[in-house]
Every structure is written in C-alpha cells, then in structure tokens.
Amino acid sequence: FVLGVIRPPPRSTLSSSSAASDVYKRQVHAIDINLGCPQSCAEHGNYGAFLLDEDKWSTVEFMVAGLVEAMRSHPQGVPVWCKMRLLPSQEKTIQFAQMLQRVGVGLVTVHGRLRHERDRDPPNWRRIGDLKKHLSIPVVANGGVHTLQDAQDCADVTGADGIMVATGLLTNPA
C-alpha cells in the first residue's frame, strides 16, 4: 500500500517521530508526494504542481526532508517518493529533481508535460530521458501512455526505470 500525499502536512508534524509510527499502523509501504497536480483546486490550496514554482522550492525541500527523516526514524523505514511535472526550462527541472534526490527521495515520477498542458498536448518524453541521466535514483515516466505500444515507446525514448499509466488506463484498462 502506498500512501499518496497531496496537501503538505503542517510544519510542526514533519519531523515528528510519531509520524513514522502512525504510518506503520496503516501498513504503508511508501509515501508518494504529488507535486504534479495541475488542477485549479491545487492552485487555490497551494499544493501539487503549484509547489514547483521556484519561490516554493525551500518549502518543498523542508517538507520532503522532514518527511524523509521521520520515515527513516522507524527501524523498518518507509521510502518517500515524489511525482512532479516538467518545469518550463530543463535546467530548472533538473535542479528541482536533484534537490528531491539530495534530501532523500527514493524515486521520482515525472509527468512529461508542463503545468498548463493537458492530455491533448503531447508529453515530452525526451526531456524525461534527459532528466534521468542527471539522477541516480529510479525515474518513472508518466504521460501519454494509452496502449502497450505507447508504454514501450515511452520506455525506449526515456530509458525510465518504470512507466506510470494514469488516465490512459481509465479509458482502456485492457
């Protein structure tokens, strides 16, 4: 079971050792922080892809580092993963993902579109592939996968360690 986190937890609970115990009571095997949601509710709630703005990076770094530390404090540990979107520049995308890696994120899923782009816009798998070359943690590619052939093409282009299928699976789970 993977616990998905959309809204950042309050600052006071980030480094709490009881946070790790609470997670274990729920038999959670990983925590996945969604920094990729582009919906208006995320903008109004100041979460998701709206935490990718550079002026929010220090908040994200503090939040993720605190959560990683809290999960490591338990003898069995719980890995923390993050999902993100591409940023307008590849340089900033790399810097952001490297910051996540530096604070202890064990895996990053990258949606191959910018925050303002939607399903009708083609994902940029090449940028995900370039990003993977700059990280030592596993990278999962996401976006534009509706068929097995799409998944194979995405894997070929990105060299990703895994492929995440979202809305494509909802429209055709076969």
Side-chain angles (χ1 to χ4, degrees), residues 127-167:
R127 285 189 59 193
I128 297 172
D130 179 63
L131 173 63
K132 179 168 175 31
K133 295 173 188 172
H134 292 87
L135 300 173
S136 59
I137 59 175
V139 173
V140 175
N142 175 238
V145 177
H146 298 274
T147 66
L148 178 57
Q149 186 61 55
D150 291 340
Q152 291 169 335
D153 293 344
C154 180
D156 290 343
V157 171
T158 64
D161 300 288
I163 306 297
M164 178 182 177
V165 181
T167 56

mmCIF file of all heavy atoms in Angstrom, residues 127-167:
data_model
loop_
_atom_site.group_PDB
_atom_site.id
_atom_site.type_symbol
_atom_site.label_atom_id
_atom_site.label_comp_id
_atom_site.label_asym_id
_atom_site.label_seq_id
_atom_site.Cartn_x
_atom_site.Cartn_y
_atom_site.Cartn_z
ATOM 1 N N ARG A 127 12.602 14.917 -22.714
ATOM 2 C CA ARG A 127 13.053 15.666 -21.540
ATOM 3 C C ARG A 127 13.132 14.768 -20.311
ATOM 4 O O ARG A 127 14.005 14.938 -19.469
ATOM 5 C CB ARG A 127 12.152 16.876 -21.291
ATOM 6 C CG ARG A 127 12.424 18.005 -22.285
ATOM 7 C CD ARG A 127 11.723 19.277 -21.930
ATOM 8 N NE ARG A 127 12.112 19.759 -20.605
ATOM 9 C CZ ARG A 127 11.453 20.717 -19.950
ATOM 10 N NH1 ARG A 127 10.400 21.307 -20.481
ATOM 11 N NH2 ARG A 127 11.848 21.086 -18.761
ATOM 12 N N ILE A 128 12.217 13.809 -20.201
ATOM 13 C CA ILE A 128 12.284 12.856 -19.090
ATOM 14 C C ILE A 128 13.564 12.025 -19.227
ATOM 15 O O ILE A 128 14.283 11.803 -18.248
ATOM 16 C CB ILE A 128 11.044 11.946 -19.037
ATOM 17 C CG1 ILE A 128 9.775 12.764 -18.785
ATOM 18 C CG2 ILE A 128 11.214 10.868 -17.957
ATOM 19 C CD1 ILE A 128 8.486 11.971 -18.910
ATOM 20 N N GLY A 129 13.864 11.580 -20.443
ATOM 21 C CA GLY A 129 15.076 10.812 -20.677
ATOM 22 C C GLY A 129 16.332 11.599 -20.338
ATOM 23 O O GLY A 129 17.277 11.066 -19.745
ATOM 24 N N ASP A 130 16.347 12.877 -20.685
ATOM 25 C CA ASP A 130 17.489 13.718 -20.349
ATOM 26 C C ASP A 130 17.609 13.878 -18.835
ATOM 27 O O ASP A 130 18.704 13.801 -18.282
ATOM 28 C CB ASP A 130 17.352 15.088 -21.017
ATOM 29 C CG ASP A 130 18.512 15.997 -20.665
ATOM 30 O OD1 ASP A 130 19.662 15.685 -21.020
ATOM 31 O OD2 ASP A 130 18.253 17.038 -20.008
ATOM 32 N N LEU A 131 16.481 14.092 -18.166
ATOM 33 C CA LEU A 131 16.494 14.228 -16.709
ATOM 34 C C LEU A 131 17.052 12.965 -16.056
ATOM 35 O O LEU A 131 17.847 13.045 -15.119
ATOM 36 C CB LEU A 131 15.087 14.520 -16.182
ATOM 37 C CG LEU A 131 14.925 14.532 -14.667
ATOM 38 C CD1 LEU A 131 15.763 15.646 -14.038
ATOM 39 C CD2 LEU A 131 13.457 14.688 -14.292
ATOM 40 N N LYS A 132 16.652 11.811 -16.531
ATOM 41 C CA LYS A 132 17.115 10.542 -15.944
ATOM 42 C C LYS A 132 18.638 10.467 -15.918
ATOM 43 O O LYS A 132 19.212 9.949 -14.967
ATOM 44 C CB LYS A 132 16.537 9.356 -16.710
ATOM 45 C CG LYS A 132 17.036 8.037 -16.130
ATOM 46 C CD LYS A 132 16.315 6.860 -16.628
ATOM 47 C CE LYS A 132 16.891 5.553 -16.151
ATOM 48 N NZ LYS A 132 17.527 5.519 -14.854
ATOM 49 N N LYS A 133 19.293 11.016 -16.917
ATOM 50 C CA LYS A 133 20.758 10.993 -16.991
ATOM 51 C C LYS A 133 21.411 11.798 -15.866
ATOM 52 O O LYS A 133 22.587 11.603 -15.569
ATOM 53 C CB LYS A 133 21.232 11.543 -18.331
ATOM 54 C CG LYS A 133 20.828 10.695 -19.513
ATOM 55 C CD LYS A 133 21.181 11.378 -20.814
ATOM 56 C CE LYS A 133 20.609 10.613 -21.998
ATOM 57 N NZ LYS A 133 20.771 11.359 -23.248
ATOM 58 N N HIS A 134 20.642 12.689 -15.217
ATOM 59 C CA HIS A 134 21.178 13.557 -14.170
ATOM 60 C C HIS A 134 20.834 13.081 -12.762
ATOM 61 O O HIS A 134 21.147 13.756 -11.787
ATOM 62 C CB HIS A 134 20.655 14.986 -14.357
ATOM 63 C CG HIS A 134 21.198 15.642 -15.587
ATOM 64 N ND1 HIS A 134 20.602 15.507 -16.823
ATOM 65 C CD2 HIS A 134 22.291 16.415 -15.765
ATOM 66 C CE1 HIS A 134 21.299 16.179 -17.710
ATOM 67 N NE2 HIS A 134 22.332 16.731 -17.104
ATOM 68 N N LEU A 135 20.161 11.929 -12.648
ATOM 69 C CA LEU A 135 19.742 11.410 -11.350
ATOM 70 C C LEU A 135 20.288 10.005 -11.143
ATOM 71 O O LEU A 135 20.451 9.245 -12.101
ATOM 72 C CB LEU A 135 18.213 11.378 -11.244
ATOM 73 C CG LEU A 135 17.487 12.716 -11.376
ATOM 74 C CD1 LEU A 135 15.975 12.495 -11.427
ATOM 75 C CD2 LEU A 135 17.853 13.635 -10.229
ATOM 76 N N SER A 136 20.520 9.654 -9.892
ATOM 77 C CA SER A 136 20.946 8.290 -9.583
ATOM 78 C C SER A 136 19.804 7.462 -8.988
ATOM 79 O O SER A 136 19.949 6.257 -8.806
ATOM 80 C CB SER A 136 22.139 8.309 -8.619
ATOM 81 O OG SER A 136 21.794 8.964 -7.416
ATOM 82 N N ILE A 137 18.677 8.089 -8.677
ATOM 83 C CA ILE A 137 17.510 7.367 -8.163
ATOM 84 C C ILE A 137 16.641 6.922 -9.339
ATOM 85 O O ILE A 137 16.750 7.470 -10.440
ATOM 86 C CB ILE A 137 16.689 8.236 -7.183
ATOM 87 C CG1 ILE A 137 16.195 9.529 -7.847
ATOM 88 C CG2 ILE A 137 17.487 8.521 -5.914
ATOM 89 C CD1 ILE A 137 15.290 10.385 -6.988
ATOM 90 N N PRO A 138 15.780 5.931 -9.132
ATOM 91 C CA PRO A 138 14.898 5.498 -10.207
ATOM 92 C C PRO A 138 13.975 6.621 -10.667
ATOM 93 O O PRO A 138 13.498 7.430 -9.870
ATOM 94 C CB PRO A 138 14.085 4.361 -9.578
ATOM 95 C CG PRO A 138 14.916 3.873 -8.440
ATOM 96 C CD PRO A 138 15.642 5.089 -7.925
ATOM 97 N N VAL A 139 13.734 6.638 -11.976
ATOM 98 C CA VAL A 139 12.833 7.606 -12.598
ATOM 99 C C VAL A 139 11.716 6.823 -13.276
ATOM 100 O O VAL A 139 11.973 5.894 -14.048
ATOM 101 C CB VAL A 139 13.570 8.480 -13.631
ATOM 102 C CG1 VAL A 139 12.606 9.363 -14.403
ATOM 103 C CG2 VAL A 139 14.645 9.331 -12.940
ATOM 104 N N VAL A 140 10.474 7.210 -12.982
ATOM 105 C CA VAL A 140 9.300 6.622 -13.614
ATOM 106 C C VAL A 140 8.715 7.676 -14.539
ATOM 107 O O VAL A 140 8.492 8.818 -14.126
ATOM 108 C CB VAL A 140 8.259 6.183 -12.551
ATOM 109 C CG1 VAL A 140 6.989 5.690 -13.215
ATOM 110 C CG2 VAL A 140 8.853 5.114 -11.645
ATOM 111 N N ALA A 141 8.498 7.313 -15.798
ATOM 112 C CA ALA A 141 7.933 8.242 -16.782
ATOM 113 C C ALA A 141 6.411 8.151 -16.770
ATOM 114 O O ALA A 141 5.849 7.073 -16.579
ATOM 115 C CB ALA A 141 8.468 7.927 -18.170
ATOM 116 N N ASN A 142 5.765 9.294 -17.005
ATOM 117 C CA ASN A 142 4.302 9.363 -16.977
ATOM 118 C C ASN A 142 3.840 10.343 -18.046
ATOM 119 O O ASN A 142 4.514 11.324 -18.318
ATOM 120 C CB ASN A 142 3.852 9.818 -15.586
ATOM 121 C CG ASN A 142 2.353 10.046 -15.477
ATOM 122 O OD1 ASN A 142 1.920 11.131 -15.150
ATOM 123 N ND2 ASN A 142 1.563 9.031 -15.749
ATOM 124 N N GLY A 143 2.692 10.068 -18.609
ATOM 125 C CA GLY A 143 2.068 10.986 -19.559
ATOM 126 C C GLY A 143 1.995 10.406 -20.959
ATOM 127 O O GLY A 143 2.992 9.961 -21.524
ATOM 128 N N GLY A 144 0.787 10.390 -21.515
ATOM 129 C CA GLY A 144 0.596 9.994 -22.904
ATOM 130 C C GLY A 144 0.633 8.505 -23.168
ATOM 131 O O GLY A 144 0.789 8.095 -24.315
ATOM 132 N N VAL A 145 0.485 7.692 -22.147
ATOM 133 C CA VAL A 145 0.521 6.242 -22.338
ATOM 134 C C VAL A 145 -0.915 5.713 -22.304
ATOM 135 O O VAL A 145 -1.574 5.737 -21.265
ATOM 136 C CB VAL A 145 1.392 5.551 -21.264
ATOM 137 C CG1 VAL A 145 1.357 4.037 -21.452
ATOM 138 C CG2 VAL A 145 2.816 6.076 -21.322
ATOM 139 N N HIS A 146 -1.375 5.250 -23.479
ATOM 140 C CA HIS A 146 -2.740 4.729 -23.597
ATOM 141 C C HIS A 146 -2.767 3.282 -24.068
ATOM 142 O O HIS A 146 -3.799 2.620 -23.985
ATOM 143 C CB HIS A 146 -3.555 5.591 -24.567
ATOM 144 C CG HIS A 146 -3.700 7.000 -24.090
ATOM 145 N ND1 HIS A 146 -4.698 7.397 -23.239
ATOM 146 C CD2 HIS A 146 -2.948 8.103 -24.325
ATOM 147 C CE1 HIS A 146 -4.572 8.686 -22.970
ATOM 148 N NE2 HIS A 146 -3.512 9.139 -23.613
ATOM 149 N N THR A 147 -1.648 2.803 -24.612
ATOM 150 C CA THR A 147 -1.581 1.439 -25.134
ATOM 151 C C THR A 147 -0.259 0.803 -24.705
ATOM 152 O O THR A 147 0.659 1.499 -24.256
ATOM 153 C CB THR A 147 -1.653 1.424 -26.676
ATOM 154 O OG1 THR A 147 -0.467 2.046 -27.187
ATOM 155 C CG2 THR A 147 -2.900 2.148 -27.193
ATOM 156 N N LEU A 148 -0.167 -0.508 -24.913
ATOM 157 C CA LEU A 148 1.085 -1.192 -24.633
ATOM 158 C C LEU A 148 2.198 -0.627 -25.522
ATOM 159 O O LEU A 148 3.326 -0.435 -25.068
ATOM 160 C CB LEU A 148 0.930 -2.699 -24.852
ATOM 161 C CG LEU A 148 2.184 -3.535 -24.647
ATOM 162 C CD1 LEU A 148 2.769 -3.349 -23.243
ATOM 163 C CD2 LEU A 148 1.887 -5.006 -24.921
ATOM 164 N N GLN A 149 1.874 -0.315 -26.773
ATOM 165 C CA GLN A 149 2.882 0.257 -27.673
ATOM 166 C C GLN A 149 3.349 1.616 -27.163
ATOM 167 O O GLN A 149 4.537 1.925 -27.216
ATOM 168 C CB GLN A 149 2.339 0.390 -29.105
ATOM 169 C CG GLN A 149 3.393 0.833 -30.099
ATOM 170 C CD GLN A 149 4.561 -0.143 -30.199
ATOM 171 O OE1 GLN A 149 4.359 -1.341 -30.450
ATOM 172 N NE2 GLN A 149 5.778 0.331 -29.981
ATOM 173 N N ASP A 150 2.420 2.431 -26.632
ATOM 174 C CA ASP A 150 2.814 3.721 -26.047
ATOM 175 C C ASP A 150 3.798 3.503 -24.898
ATOM 176 O O ASP A 150 4.790 4.214 -24.774
ATOM 177 C CB ASP A 150 1.599 4.479 -25.500
ATOM 178 C CG ASP A 150 0.656 4.988 -26.563
ATOM 179 O OD1 ASP A 150 1.067 5.110 -27.738
ATOM 180 O OD2 ASP A 150 -0.507 5.274 -26.208
ATOM 181 N N ALA A 151 3.506 2.510 -24.061
ATOM 182 C CA ALA A 151 4.389 2.226 -22.921
ATOM 183 C C ALA A 151 5.768 1.799 -23.414
ATOM 184 O O ALA A 151 6.790 2.242 -22.872
ATOM 185 C CB ALA A 151 3.777 1.147 -22.030
ATOM 186 N N GLN A 152 5.804 0.968 -24.446
ATOM 187 C CA GLN A 152 7.089 0.533 -24.998
ATOM 188 C C GLN A 152 7.849 1.705 -25.615
ATOM 189 O O GLN A 152 9.059 1.845 -25.426
ATOM 190 C CB GLN A 152 6.876 -0.586 -26.020
ATOM 191 C CG GLN A 152 6.401 -1.871 -25.356
ATOM 192 C CD GLN A 152 5.923 -2.924 -26.344
ATOM 193 O OE1 GLN A 152 5.499 -2.631 -27.457
ATOM 194 N NE2 GLN A 152 5.979 -4.173 -25.909
ATOM 195 N N ASP A 153 7.129 2.568 -26.345
ATOM 196 C CA ASP A 153 7.756 3.752 -26.950
ATOM 197 C C ASP A 153 8.290 4.696 -25.881
ATOM 198 O O ASP A 153 9.399 5.217 -25.993
ATOM 199 C CB ASP A 153 6.771 4.488 -27.857
ATOM 200 C CG ASP A 153 6.385 3.696 -29.103
ATOM 201 O OD1 ASP A 153 7.089 2.707 -29.432
ATOM 202 O OD2 ASP A 153 5.365 4.060 -29.731
ATOM 203 N N CYS A 154 7.501 4.914 -24.846
ATOM 204 C CA CYS A 154 7.910 5.790 -23.746
ATOM 205 C C CYS A 154 9.166 5.236 -23.074
ATOM 206 O O CYS A 154 10.124 5.976 -22.803
ATOM 207 C CB CYS A 154 6.766 5.936 -22.738
ATOM 208 S SG CYS A 154 7.144 6.988 -21.329
ATOM 209 N N ALA A 155 9.191 3.939 -22.827
ATOM 210 C CA ALA A 155 10.357 3.308 -22.207
ATOM 211 C C ALA A 155 11.586 3.455 -23.108
ATOM 212 O O ALA A 155 12.683 3.748 -22.626
ATOM 213 C CB ALA A 155 10.072 1.839 -21.910
ATOM 214 N N ASP A 156 11.399 3.273 -24.406
ATOM 215 C CA ASP A 156 12.515 3.392 -25.341
ATOM 216 C C ASP A 156 13.077 4.805 -25.375
ATOM 217 O O ASP A 156 14.283 5.015 -25.388
ATOM 218 C CB ASP A 156 12.086 2.985 -26.755
ATOM 219 C CG ASP A 156 11.820 1.491 -26.897
ATOM 220 O OD1 ASP A 156 12.253 0.715 -26.021
ATOM 221 O OD2 ASP A 156 11.162 1.109 -27.889
ATOM 222 N N VAL A 157 12.191 5.796 -25.396
ATOM 223 C CA VAL A 157 12.620 7.194 -25.501
ATOM 224 C C VAL A 157 13.236 7.689 -24.200
ATOM 225 O O VAL A 157 14.243 8.393 -24.204
ATOM 226 C CB VAL A 157 11.438 8.101 -25.917
ATOM 227 C CG1 VAL A 157 11.803 9.574 -25.824
ATOM 228 C CG2 VAL A 157 10.980 7.769 -27.335
ATOM 229 N N THR A 158 12.638 7.321 -23.066
ATOM 230 C CA THR A 158 13.071 7.872 -21.774
ATOM 231 C C THR A 158 14.177 7.071 -21.103
ATOM 232 O O THR A 158 14.949 7.627 -20.325
ATOM 233 C CB THR A 158 11.899 7.949 -20.784
ATOM 234 O OG1 THR A 158 11.434 6.623 -20.498
ATOM 235 C CG2 THR A 158 10.762 8.806 -21.308
ATOM 236 N N GLY A 159 14.211 5.769 -21.349
ATOM 237 C CA GLY A 159 15.127 4.919 -20.590
ATOM 238 C C GLY A 159 14.714 4.822 -19.136
ATOM 239 O O GLY A 159 15.509 4.442 -18.270
ATOM 240 N N ALA A 160 13.466 5.161 -18.849
ATOM 241 C CA ALA A 160 12.963 5.191 -17.471
ATOM 242 C C ALA A 160 12.984 3.806 -16.839
ATOM 243 O O ALA A 160 12.943 2.782 -17.527
ATOM 244 C CB ALA A 160 11.545 5.755 -17.438
ATOM 245 N N ASP A 161 13.031 3.810 -15.522
ATOM 246 C CA ASP A 161 13.018 2.576 -14.750
ATOM 247 C C ASP A 161 11.627 1.974 -14.652
ATOM 248 O O ASP A 161 11.472 0.814 -14.266
ATOM 249 C CB ASP A 161 13.566 2.847 -13.344
ATOM 250 C CG ASP A 161 14.987 3.369 -13.413
ATOM 251 O OD1 ASP A 161 15.896 2.576 -13.727
ATOM 252 O OD2 ASP A 161 15.186 4.576 -13.184
ATOM 253 N N GLY A 162 10.623 2.762 -14.970
ATOM 254 C CA GLY A 162 9.246 2.299 -14.940
ATOM 255 C C GLY A 162 8.362 3.275 -15.689
ATOM 256 O O GLY A 162 8.772 4.401 -15.993
ATOM 257 N N ILE A 163 7.154 2.834 -15.988
ATOM 258 C CA ILE A 163 6.171 3.663 -16.686
ATOM 259 C C ILE A 163 4.922 3.711 -15.823
ATOM 260 O O ILE A 163 4.424 2.667 -15.387
ATOM 261 C CB ILE A 163 5.801 3.070 -18.068
ATOM 262 C CG1 ILE A 163 7.051 2.816 -18.923
ATOM 263 C CG2 ILE A 163 4.791 3.955 -18.784
ATOM 264 C CD1 ILE A 163 7.846 4.027 -19.278
ATOM 265 N N MET A 164 4.418 4.917 -15.572
ATOM 266 C CA MET A 164 3.179 5.078 -14.821
ATOM 267 C C MET A 164 2.060 5.395 -15.807
ATOM 268 O O MET A 164 2.186 6.287 -16.635
ATOM 269 C CB MET A 164 3.298 6.232 -13.826
ATOM 270 C CG MET A 164 2.036 6.481 -13.048
ATOM 271 S SD MET A 164 2.259 7.904 -11.957
ATOM 272 C CE MET A 164 0.639 8.005 -11.255
ATOM 273 N N VAL A 165 0.987 4.634 -15.708
ATOM 274 C CA VAL A 165 -0.173 4.854 -16.564
ATOM 275 C C VAL A 165 -1.287 5.407 -15.693
ATOM 276 O O VAL A 165 -1.560 4.865 -14.624
ATOM 277 C CB VAL A 165 -0.619 3.532 -17.233
ATOM 278 C CG1 VAL A 165 -1.813 3.770 -18.129
ATOM 279 C CG2 VAL A 165 0.533 2.917 -18.013
ATOM 280 N N ALA A 166 -1.900 6.484 -16.136
ATOM 281 C CA ALA A 166 -2.965 7.104 -15.335
ATOM 282 C C ALA A 166 -4.250 7.135 -16.148
ATOM 283 O O ALA A 166 -4.940 6.127 -16.244
ATOM 284 C CB ALA A 166 -2.542 8.491 -14.879
ATOM 285 N N THR A 167 -4.586 8.256 -16.762
ATOM 286 C CA THR A 167 -5.868 8.390 -17.466
ATOM 287 C C THR A 167 -6.000 7.411 -18.620
ATOM 288 O O THR A 167 -7.098 6.967 -18.927
ATOM 289 C CB THR A 167 -6.086 9.827 -17.982
ATOM 290 O OG1 THR A 167 -4.979 10.190 -18.814
ATOM 291 C CG2 THR A 167 -6.216 10.802 -16.827
#
